[in-house]
Amino acid sequence: MRSLIAIAACLALAPIAAHAQDPAPQAGTEIYRTDLMTRWGREVTPENAWRSYPRPQLERERWQNLNGLWDYAIAPKAAPQPERMDGRILVPFAVESKLSGVTRKVTPDDRVWYRRSFTVPADWQGEHVMLNFGAVDYEATVRVNGSVVGSHEGGFDAFGFDITPYLREGNNELVVEVTDPTSAGTQPRGKQILDPAGIWYTAVSGIWQTVWIEPVPELHIADVRATPDIDRGVIEVAVALSGWAGDTDAVRLTASAKGKTIASTIIRANRRATLAIPDAHLWSPDDPHLYDLKAELVTVRDPYAGEEERDRKAYDSRFTAHESQVYADAQVAGAPRDSVDAYFAMRKISVGPGKVEGQPAILLNNEPLFQSGVLDQGWWPDGLYTPPSEEAMASDIVFLKKAGFNMLRKHIKVEPARYYYDADRLGMLIWQDMPSGGGEDQYLAGTSKYQAVFPSETMAEQQKQLSEMVGELRAFPSIVMWVVNNEGWGQYDAGTLAQFVKGLDPSRLVNATSGWVDAAPEVSDVLDIHTYEDVPNTPRHQTRRAIVLGEYGGVGFPVEGHIWRPGEANWSYQVARDEDEYLVRFRRKMEGVIRQAQEAGLSAAVYTQTSDVEDEINGLLTYDRAGPKAPPEELAEIADPLWSSSTDD
């Protein structure tokens, strides 16, 4: 391809940054047969690896990044901690990735050991210190100075521990041990597999997101949840603290835009508040307006001072006052004890009357908006699960917007929190999948009349991780739909789980089953089919639900010099011989989507996919993101009738 040849020549001259001491090769552990790298990956060093504060919806000013070079070892699962480590690894990149400097396969019989030292800044004296992990796949046990401070199970969610009692002056030793069953287990893992091929990708083990420490008071802000209601012109804000709060503990909330305060109130700790947002500036993909939100833990004068607890009337009065959300005329004493920055957007997602009579549609801010999306796997040739940099991560969204897409389906993977911040600020709608789990015998066929059966313990763990995903991500306004199951992979009790998610987050749509077995029509907000035919099939008419194509497309185009495993069989639904044929096939599929939108009331369609991934060659971009397979402007022009005035007829 003309555009890629020039890019490839430039990349070939770029040196790979030296960052980690590679371990001696071990038999049976090599997992790469390619030198495919992104331009961002070539620039990674221990000094620049993922430096931004990792939690944009609960951001504190003071913190210390622990990314960089750590000692590591891979040992038998049953063996004790090795006396001698194998080498150095660059955190936060997974053991199997190139950017980690290790590139070794981890099996279910292995245990990965990490070790580093750190020093607590002197000006944190007297405060509690939290040790936080963005994500570790899969089971982690954490030690500080030889003592176990906590354990965690789950490969996609953040977790942390108060390590204050275990600290000492000067250097502190941090040890993390990790095991990962990957495809040998039933845990949520998405597309990871021990022997990758086709649509299944290289497994990811160990630390794969940022590690950091930060000072907090013993009682501190743990969660801020803002839910917009554009019909009422308000934002509902719930603030959860890390523990029990007293009568003098309160939270001051301040909403602002461009530095100007819009609304402010003081509420009781562990309560909710309603802030009026007059003349709200609504968020949309074309106008992704964000409001700032600050939450401060403050001390107020005891409003019950002088009351006698033994006096029944006084007791009743005090009990009633405890039920109140807001402290009226509260007097704040001293400076805030804790302060976090967050943000929100005024936007609404719902199902309602569409442009085709009788067929409900997905509405954004009470108006039909066709969601033209892309299936986004979130894999990288050099970092695997971890993008090589924040710039690289945002570049996919920037490209998709340029190519005419306004939505992406984050496919059975959860990204670092800053990814969703990028989507919020750039204006990209997201359908968020729950990573699938289960064994091969628990994957349903497209014609199945049943759902999978799991032990109670397995179901409980999967539901716990589902609730953690929703809890951690519901603050991000770009997410407009939760996708509970994909193509029957480990699908069980779809209706129960969809209703569970609706209870956790009633402000968003829920897609109970994307593709194959429509097992929860009474709960799911959409009928979602997958269609990889040359001209996409049309979902059947619905009277209550919107209709969507959860997957279509899949046009493959192998670009020489940008293939994961050159000389071996690659995989796609269709294969184009050159750029011209690629555009012809893309146009044919998109024209089918446009007809469905205009004639059948189709609300959304998800094209497969953003980039090539390992053996899959059906991306709009090459796996190394060296360039697009067709000019994004031409892709956008083909899709333009989805939003042009002709669709209003």
Side-chain angles (χ1 to χ4, degrees):
M1 180 182 296
R2 296 184 301 273
S3 58
L4 286 173
I5 291 174
I7 296 172
C10 294
L11 288 176
L13 299 175
I16 298 177
H19 58 256
Q21 177 183 346
D22 292 331
Q26 298 192 9
T29 62
E30 289 190 13
I31 58 176
Y32 286 90
R33 283 172 282 170
T34 176
D35 293 324
L36 209 60
M37 293 276 285
T38 66
R39 64 180 177 86
W40 301 279
R42 295 179 186 276
E43 298 171 356
V44 170
T45 69
E47 291 73 35
N48 68 15
W50 282 87
R51 307 318 296 175
S52 295
Y53 188 85
R55 199 170 50 200
Q57 282 288 26
L58 198 73
E59 185 168 355
R60 289 187 169 88
E61 183 177 347
R62 294 183 300 158
W63 68 295
Q64 181 175 312
N65 196 323
L66 297 186
N67 292 343
L69 292 176
W70 296 39
D71 299 323
Y72 92 96
I74 302 175
K77 187 176 181 179
Q81 180 177 345
E83 293 185 6
R84 179 181 177 138
M85 305 297 270
D86 293 346
R88 304 275 271 170
I89 184 170
L90 180 55
V91 171
F93 298 102
V95 175
E96 296 90 343
S97 72
K98 276 198 188 77
L99 291 178
S100 71
V102 176
T103 319
R104 288 171 60 182
K105 184 174 183 178
V106 177
T107 75
D109 297 321
D110 293 328
R111 189 178 301 272
V112 183
W113 295 86
Y114 295 82
R115 185 183 66 197
R116 68 156 292 160
S117 62
F118 67 93
T119 303
V120 177
D123 61 355
W124 295 6
Q125 184 72 29
E127 299 182 81
H128 284 242
V129 177
M130 292 293 300
L131 170 64
N132 300 305
F133 295 82
V136 179
D137 196 351
Y138 176 71
E139 296 181 58
T141 299
V142 181
R143 292 181 171 86
V144 172
N145 295 325
S147 297
V148 174
V149 300
S151 298
H152 179 265
E153 184 174 348
F156 299 95
D157 59 304
F159 61 96
F161 308 109
D162 186 340
I163 61 173
T164 311
Y166 309 95
L167 296 173
R168 60 192 181 200
E169 291 186 8
N171 281 339
N172 292 270
E173 183 187 63
L174 170 59
V175 173
V176 181
E177 56 178 280
V178 181
T179 59
D180 184 8
T182 310
S183 51
T186 58
Q187 81 289 350
R189 62 184 178 278
K191 283 199 168 186
Q192 299 182 60
I193 199 167
L194 288 166
D195 296 307
I199 67 169
W200 305 100
Y201 314 144
T202 301
V204 171
S205 302
I207 299 171
W208 67 276
Q209 290 188 34
T210 294
V211 185
W212 78 102
I213 57 174
E214 61 186 354
V216 295
E218 182 175 7
L219 181 68
H220 55 271
I221 298 170
D223 201 0
V224 177
R225 300 189 289 271
T227 304
D229 186 335
I230 68 168
D231 297 325
R232 296 166 53 213
V234 301
I235 187 84
E236 303 278 358
V237 184
V239 180
L241 302 186
S242 59
W244 289 81
D247 292 332
T248 60
D249 297 317
V251 173
R252 180 166 56 202
L253 293 170
T254 305
S256 61
K258 298 180 180 179
K260 180 180 179 181
T261 297
I262 296 172
S264 184
T265 190
I266 298 176
I267 60 172
R268 297 199 61 232
N270 293 322
R271 293 295 191 273
R272 305 172 190 273
T274 301
L275 298 178
I277 309 297
D279 302 317
H281 188 157
L282 302 185
W283 184 98
S284 71
D286 291 334
D287 186 10
H289 180 79
L290 300 176
Y291 290 89
D292 294 321
L293 180 64
K294 181 179 285 292
E296 299 169 294
L297 177 60
V298 297
T299 302
V300 297
R301 186 183 63 81
D302 186 354
Y304 310 112
E307 290 185 0
E308 293 293 336
E309 287 291 346
R310 288 173 294 181
D311 185 298
R312 183 64 185 177
K313 291 184 179 180
Y315 178 82
D316 288 344
S317 172
R318 182 171 183 143
F319 182 82
T320 302
H322 276 209
E323 296 303 300
S324 174
Q325 305 286 330
V326 179
Y327 274 136
D329 302 321
Q331 297 180 8
V332 175
R337 291 139 58 193
D338 191 20
S339 177
V340 299
D341 290 323
Y343 64 89
F344 65 93
M346 296 299 289
R347 69 104 184 92
K348 177 184 177 182
I349 192 74
S350 60
V351 172
K355 295 180 179 180
V356 173
E357 186 176 356
Q359 175 56 63
I362 297 177
L363 311 180
L364 180 68
N365 300 332
N366 295 324
E367 297 290 339
L369 175 69
F370 191 88
Q371 297 186 18
S372 182
V374 174
L375 196 71
D376 195 283
Q377 311 281 2
W379 238 272
W380 298 80
D382 37 23
L384 297 180
Y385 255 15
T386 313
S389 71
E390 293 171 64
E391 180 188 356
M393 182 172 66
S395 73
D396 278 358
I397 299 176
V398 171
F399 164 76
L400 292 175
K401 293 265 298 185
K402 190 174 183 181
F405 297 96
N406 63 1
M407 177 266 283
L408 63 84
R409 179 181 166 204
K410 180 48 62 177
H411 194 36
I412 52 179
K413 180 201 175 188
V414 178
E415 292 286 357
R418 297 201 70 86
Y419 179 89
Y420 302 96
Y421 168 65
D422 286 338
D424 292 342
R425 67 181 179 85
L426 293 171
M428 180 63 74
L429 300 165
I430 292 181
W431 296 7
Q432 177 63 53
D433 286 15
M434 172 63 187
S436 55
E440 197 170 323
D441 65 329
Q442 291 153 326
Y443 286 10
L444 311 187
T447 57
S448 293
K449 303 299 182 184
Y450 64 90
Q451 297 188 72
V453 176
F454 287 99
S456 296
E457 183 179 3
T458 301
M459 291 190 294
E461 182 58 38
Q462 291 186 354
Q463 290 162 31
K464 172 178 172 289
Q465 293 187 34
L466 174 60
S467 66
E468 287 170 340
M469 181 191 77
V470 173
E472 287 190 13
L473 300 184
R474 62 184 163 188
F476 296 101
S478 55
I479 298 175
V480 293
M481 184 184 295
W482 303 112
V483 182
V484 182
N485 291 287
N486 175 72
E487 289 189 347
W489 298 352
Q491 177 179 319
Y492 73 96
D493 293 348
T496 301
L497 293 181
Q499 194 62 58
F500 174 62
V501 174
K502 279 179 174 286
L504 290 172
D505 183 10
S507 71
R508 288 179 172 87
L509 303 183
V510 174
N511 185 345
T513 55
S514 182
W516 294 15
V517 184
D518 182 26
E522 72 287 352
V523 183
S524 187
D525 291 307
V526 298
L527 170 63
D528 179 328
I529 71 168
H530 295 179
T531 169
Y532 285 102
E533 288 74 17
D534 199 35
V535 177
N537 291 332
T538 306
R540 63 186 184 274
H541 174 80
Q542 300 290 296
T543 58
R544 188 191 63 82
R545 299 187 287 175
I547 56 174
V548 304
L549 303 183
E551 294 181 25
Y552 80 102
V555 179
F557 179 17
V559 180
E560 187 176 352
H562 303 275
I563 302 298
W564 178 247
R565 294 196 278 192
E568 299 196 18
N570 294 304
W571 192 96
S572 67
Y573 292 95
Q574 300 178 6
V575 180
R577 291 166 295 183
D578 54 35
E579 182 179 310
D580 291 339
E581 183 182 354
Y582 183 82
L583 278 169
V584 167
R585 290 179 178 271
F586 179 88
R587 182 185 298 273
R588 185 182 302 131
K589 291 177 180 293
M590 184 60 75
E591 287 176 346
V593 168
I594 293 168
R595 281 194 299 272
Q596 290 189 35
Q598 295 175 346
E599 299 172 6
L602 186 75
S603 280
V606 180
Y607 182 86
T608 301
Q609 58 192 11
T610 300
S611 74
D612 294 348
V613 182
E614 301 195 352
D615 291 340
E616 281 194 74
I617 56 168
N618 47 22
L620 297 166
L621 296 164
T622 58
Y623 192 18
D624 56 2
R625 276 66 165 188
K629 298 180 183 180
E633 297 83 1
E634 291 193 39
L635 300 177
E637 183 179 354
I638 291 171
D640 184 67
L642 285 168
W643 302 285
S644 64
S645 58
S646 63
T647 61
D648 295 329
D649 297 339

